[in-house]
């Protein structure tokens, strides 16, 4: 009896493993935290007219939040308010727009405000790979020495900010 | 028909222009060939089982540009593989390397095949013994 059921059992076990993998919240093959502990690579975003361009050298010696976003991305719009709150608290927030158009960004900022101390465009999409991202939004907490302390793939929330962003900005070691 | 001709020509020219923008190949043919062969070995990180050579997604386009830029900087193929693996792990390679972590992945098909052969042999043996009775 058991022998007859063996192929079915093997298939069932295989299907369960596949389904768990498929629907697991961490089903992505690509580790979102693989950049943590690495120095932030050099990036040169394209400046946007009328907005302060990204000069990371000017932030040397202080921690900051680097946020990759797009004006067409709903989760990016959802986290916009949190970014503005951080910016209002004096936390330097740097923005990199991915797969976006300058006009769409400036129009969005005109409507909802600009939380970024400096902002630029990932012109050819290669900055996304340089930073090891798999989509937008993604955020990096960068320490005063330029090391990536934390990497979040997905929208910011209060809990992540309390746990990772604020302590790092206060100069506390993770 | 006559008014259609300029429209067809304009469409063909636009297509050509878009293809040129999307390809953005390197001026050095040898380096571009190196890049193309690397594109086939790197997995697009937002696609289902597609290499960056096959995918038309924005992420794959960015990955191709990253590889080209690294080549222009003078990085070797190994350097570029290493940069991509440091960001996305071994999964970014179309053929994951054989190591302690991936060995079950490589052995699994053999084990399943072996299990199937043993099960089939046992079933045949049972059927034969039933027939002989």
């Amino acid at each position: 009896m058991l022998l007859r059921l063996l192929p079915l059992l093997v298939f069932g076990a295989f299907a369960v493993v596949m389904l768990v993998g498929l629907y697991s919240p961490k089903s992505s093959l690509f580790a979102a935290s693989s950049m943590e502990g690495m120095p932030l690579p050099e990036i040169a975003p394209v400046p946007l007219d009328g907005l302060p361009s990204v000069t990371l050298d000017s932030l040397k010696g202080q921690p900051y939040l680097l946020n990759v976003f797009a004006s067409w991305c709903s989760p990016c719009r959802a986290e916009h308010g949190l970014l503005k709150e951080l910016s209002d608290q004096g936390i330097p927030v740097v923005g990199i727009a991915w797969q976006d158009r300058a006009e769409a960004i400036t129009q969005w900022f005109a409507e909802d405000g600009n939380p970024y101390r400096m902002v630029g465009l990932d012109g050819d999409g290669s900055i996304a790979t340089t930073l090891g991202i798999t989509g937008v939004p993604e955020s990096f907490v960068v320490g005063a020495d330029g090391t990536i302390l934390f990497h979040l793939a997905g929208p910011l929330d209060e809990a992540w900010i309390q746990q990772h962003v604020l302590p790092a900005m206060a100069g506390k070691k993770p | 028909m006559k008014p259609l001709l300029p429209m067809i020509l304009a469409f063909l020219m636009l297509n050509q222009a878009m293809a040129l923008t999307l390809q953005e190949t390197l001026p050095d043919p040898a380096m571009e060939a190196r890049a193309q062969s690397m594109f086939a070995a790197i997995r697009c990180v937002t696609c289902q089982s597609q290499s960056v050579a096959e995918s038309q997604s924005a992420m794959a386009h960015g990955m191709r540009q990253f590889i080209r830029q690294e080549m222009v900087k003078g990085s070797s193929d190994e350097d570029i593989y290493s940069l991509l693996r440091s960001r996305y792990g071994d999964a970014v390679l179309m053929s994951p390397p054989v190591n302690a972590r991936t060995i079950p992945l490589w052995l699994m098909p053999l084990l399943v095949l072996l299990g199937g052969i043993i099960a089939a042999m046992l079933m045949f043996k049972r059927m034969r013994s039933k027939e002989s009775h």
Side-chain angles (χ1 to χ4, degrees), chain A residues 42-90:
Chain A
E42 273 186 35
I43 49 172
V46 178
L48 293 162
D49 276 347
L51 294 168
S53 53
V54 178
T55 48
L56 294 179
D57 280 352
S58 67
L59 292 173
K60 264 186 186 162
Q62 62 175 317
Y64 59 93
L65 184 73
L66 178 72
N67 175 252
V68 189
F69 70 96
S71 63
W72 46 262
C73 138
S74 312
C76 304
R77 288 188 175 246
E79 69 174 13
H80 201 68
L82 289 171
L83 288 169
K84 276 200 291 187
E85 281 176 24
L86 291 173
S87 180
D88 290 345
Q89 289 171 40

Side-chain angles (χ1 to χ4, degrees), chain B residues 74-129:
Chain B
S75 302
S76 69
D77 289 7
E78 279 315 305
D79 293 338
I80 300 169
Y81 282 127
S82 164
L83 282 172
L84 290 166
R85 284 170 70 186
S86 69
R87 282 152 176 77
Y88 299 111
D90 287 342
V92 79
L93 306 176
M94 289 300 281
S95 299
V98 183
N99 59 34
R101 265 186 66 233
T102 60
I103 200 80
L105 188 75
W106 290 95
L107 289 181
M108 190 60 84
L110 286 176
L111 290 175
V112 169
L113 184 69
L114 200 68
I117 291 171
I118 292 170
M121 279 169 68
L122 287 172
M123 279 175 83
F124 280 128
K125 205 176 167 185
R126 227 177 171 191
M127 278 164 70
R128 272 190 192 168
S129 68

Side-chain angles (χ1 to χ4, degrees), chain A residues 34 124-126 129-130 132-134, chain B residues 45-46 58 62-63 66 69 87-88:
Chain A
S34 51
D124 63 2
S126 63
T129 307
T130 305
I133 71 162
T134 54
Chain B
V45 295
T46 52
M63 292 178 83
F66 173 85
Q69 283 170 15
R87 282 152 176 77
Y88 299 111

